[in-house]
Amino acid sequence: MAYLEFRNIQLKYDQRLIFSGFNLEIEQHEKVLFCAPSGRGKTSLVKMLLGFVVPDQGQISVAGVTLTGETVNSIRSQICYVSQDADIPKGIVRDVFAAVFKFQVNRHLNYQEAVLCDWLETMALPQDTLEKNVDALSGGERQRLAVILGILLDRDIWILDEITTGLDLTLKTKMVELLLSYDKTILVVSHDDIYQNRGLREVSW
């Protein structure tokens, strides 16, 4: 049995058929790049894994557990989702990070602000970013913070949804090389050529 499975998925939006009889198996620690054209449901597919989009038909399973209303929170706790919008809580960056690691699901992690400071340097963010309000940061800065948060949460499955927008070539290359070096199951949604020739399995439909 594959680590992640999409079985006989069907999905419609406004009577438009997005998926019909879609099947996909992904092994643990495999790195996959979704290559479908715009409007073909790439983001919808990864959001199905999180339970944010519910297919009209079919089943999704993670590590042998079928995604249902009863299992969705447990499955979400295994996934880090970083999107183009970099949806991180509002507030002062230092306080936001501290609060996230106080959540029950994250309390087992040994969060230290000093480690966050090291990551700010790695991601070419100034140390005074800690004192700034999330709303005052640029899109690229928020994206890098969201990636740092995902790394520190150390979950088994990473979903990277158009995370290189707003970054220059040097930064995006550094970020992609870093993320792909981790021994995680990684699902990438992107139109960026930066992911080409990096050993990802390309899945298209």
Side-chain angles (χ1 to χ4, degrees):
M1 179 179 292
Y3 185 55
L4 306 180
E5 289 191 69
F6 295 82
R7 296 192 295 274
N8 197 32
I9 299 297
Q10 179 169 308
L11 180 70
K12 285 184 178 180
Y13 275 145
D14 297 327
Q15 302 306 309
R16 184 167 66 93
L17 189 64
I18 307 296
F19 293 104
S20 179
F22 180 84
N23 294 282
L24 177 63
E25 296 185 356
I26 298 171
E27 300 300 330
Q28 190 170 23
H29 300 158
E30 189 173 11
K31 297 170 176 62
V32 176
L33 175 64
F34 294 129
C35 303
S38 296
R40 292 291 298 276
K42 298 186 298 296
T43 293
S44 295
L45 188 68
V46 295
K47 285 189 174 181
M48 284 186 214
L49 193 61
L50 290 155
F52 295 138
V53 172
V54 179
D56 302 309
Q57 293 180 21
Q59 287 188 330
I60 297 166
S61 64
V62 176
V65 177
T66 300
L67 178 63
T68 66
E70 288 71 36
T71 63
V72 65
N73 286 335
S74 174
I75 287 174
R76 284 177 185 169
S77 72
Q78 302 173 55
I79 300 172
C80 167
Y81 176 59
V82 182
S83 72
Q84 177 178 353
D85 298 328
D87 294 325
I88 55 179
K90 297 181 184 297
I92 303 300
V93 170
R94 168 183 277 119
D95 298 338
V96 166
F97 271 72
V100 167
F101 287 92
K102 289 178 182 177
F103 295 160
Q104 182 66 41
V105 70
N106 300 325
R107 287 181 184 173
H108 66 288
L109 298 167
N110 183 27
Y111 170 70
Q112 298 178 32
E113 188 175 291
V115 176
L116 171 57
C117 291
D118 289 342
W119 276 110
L120 292 179
E121 183 175 353
T122 298
M123 292 291 184
L125 290 166
Q127 291 297 313
D128 66 0
T129 301
L130 282 176
E131 312 299 336
K132 294 181 178 179
N133 195 296
V134 170
D135 286 343
L137 301 174
S138 70
E141 289 170 332
R142 288 197 301 273
Q143 281 179 320
R144 280 175 278 168
L145 277 179
V147 169
I148 293 170
L149 181 58
I151 291 171
L152 295 180
L153 287 172
D154 195 32
R155 295 183 176 174
D156 295 333
I157 302 164
W158 291 357
I159 298 173
L160 310 177
D161 190 352
E162 298 288 6
I163 65 164
T164 58
T165 57
L167 302 180
D168 63 33
L169 181 59
T170 300
L171 269 175
K172 70 171 66 174
T173 300
K174 182 177 183 179
M175 182 184 294
V176 168
E177 289 178 348
L178 173 67
L179 292 171
L180 295 183
S181 72
Y182 280 85
D183 200 17
K184 303 286 185 181
T185 305
I186 300 179
L187 312 183
V188 177
V189 174
S190 181
H191 294 94
D192 198 323
D193 292 339
I194 198 71
Y195 291 99
Q196 300 298 323
N197 302 314
R198 295 188 183 274
L200 288 84
R201 173 163 69 105
E202 296 188 7
V203 174
S204 58
W205 60 90

